[in-house]
Amino acid sequence: MELSNLRREYCQGNLSESDVNPNPFLQFESWLQQVIEAKLPDPTAMVVATVDATGQPSQRIVLLKNCDENGFVFFTNLGSRKAQELKNNPKISLHFPWHILERQVIVYGEVEPLSTKENMAYFLSRPKESQLAAYASHQSQPIKSRELLMQGFARMKDKFLKGEIPAPDFWGGFRVKPIKIEFWQGGEHRLHDRMLYTKTPQGWSIERLAP
């Protein structure tokens, strides 16, 4: 398969120092709102990158569930590979690939576990089927067939047929505390615009990076 000639120009916009908000969270909120308005599928989807004990990085897509001045929040099974890797190494990177708008956002930082109260509040807000799936799936563990997975889901459905499903202690969330956030806007001739926010004791500094 020949791939070297697959290319296109990026010409939807640009990003200058005068365009960006001094607050990276407000800049992110503005871009996310534009992605939502553009009706991009899964606008909150982000690639989460973690590193294991040998230094091997791994990536997967999860959904952002909250973002404010305190950081970026997502949830997972605490027995999953990503959760175990973050337990041993809290450093993390997030990537938002908003290709339709020729934009990317990359977040660098460390995670902190959410409180039991925060975990319970979000779990109880999820659709019942998603709650049942959390109980049925031993995330990241080998399983012989999809049939076994669905059998487990059916058992959980019968078990919690009536009443509220309690939040399991093996499920929870992480808050990513950023130290750097990069905003990338595609540009003509591969002369892209890149603005990097770096956290300092005085607040956030902003610098342009060469493409």
Side-chain angles (χ1 to χ4, degrees):
M1 182 184 297
E2 178 60 49
L3 302 177
S4 61
N5 291 324
L6 290 178
R7 64 181 69 248
R8 67 183 177 90
E9 282 292 346
Y10 298 96
C11 53
Q12 288 194 38
N14 51 53
L15 189 63
S16 69
E17 288 81 353
S18 61
D19 291 332
V20 296
N21 193 298
N23 184 321
F25 295 104
L26 295 180
Q27 179 65 35
F28 178 84
E29 183 180 314
S30 173
W31 271 22
L32 178 58
Q33 183 59 43
Q34 291 175 41
V35 172
I36 293 171
E37 292 172 356
K39 300 188 184 303
L40 179 69
D42 296 320
T44 60
M46 60 184 185
V47 178
V48 172
T50 57
V51 179
D52 70 13
T54 70
Q56 173 63 53
S58 60
Q59 302 174 51
R60 73 288 287 161
I61 294 177
V62 303
L63 299 180
L64 177 70
K65 289 302 177 183
N66 189 43
C67 178
D68 55 27
E69 297 281 346
N70 295 315
F72 299 78
V73 171
F74 68 94
F75 293 86
T76 186
N77 185 306
L78 298 179
S80 67
R81 181 176 62 186
K82 57 183 169 296
Q84 291 303 304
E85 289 177 352
L86 290 170
K87 181 179 180 181
N88 294 320
N89 181 354
K91 295 185 183 299
I92 191 171
S93 178
L94 310 176
H95 177 232
F96 295 85
W98 296 328
H99 302 305
I100 290 179
L101 297 182
E102 299 176 354
R103 290 175 174 174
Q104 304 177 60
V105 177
I106 306 172
V107 178
Y108 305 90
E110 295 191 5
V111 298
E112 63 178 23
L114 296 185
S115 67
T116 300
K117 181 179 179 180
E118 290 173 301
N119 291 336
M120 289 181 61
Y122 177 69
F123 185 85
L124 296 177
S125 75
R126 304 179 83 202
K128 185 173 182 179
E129 289 74 14
S130 297
Q131 295 177 350
L132 292 171
Y135 274 94
S137 173
H138 300 287
Q139 193 175 121
S140 299
Q141 298 303 307
I143 187 170
K144 291 185 177 180
S145 69
R146 182 171 180 81
E147 182 180 8
L148 289 176
L149 178 65
M150 298 311 295
Q151 289 173 359
F153 182 81
R155 286 195 298 272
M156 292 301 105
K157 195 171 183 179
D158 290 339
K159 179 178 180 179
F160 297 112
L161 189 60
K162 297 181 180 180
E164 190 175 81
I165 302 174
D169 58 8
F170 57 79
W171 190 92
F174 293 96
R175 177 174 287 108
V176 179
K177 309 285 286 187
I179 56 173
K180 293 184 178 183
I181 304 176
E182 179 183 333
F183 292 83
W184 183 101
Q185 176 73 59
E188 289 185 295
H189 317 305
R190 298 299 186 266
L191 298 176
H192 313 303
D193 291 311
R194 299 172 61 191
M195 297 295 175
L196 179 67
Y197 291 75
T198 301
K199 192 170 185 180
T200 72
Q202 293 74 37
W204 290 92
S205 67
I206 306 174
E207 60 184 345
R208 174 181 288 273
L209 301 180

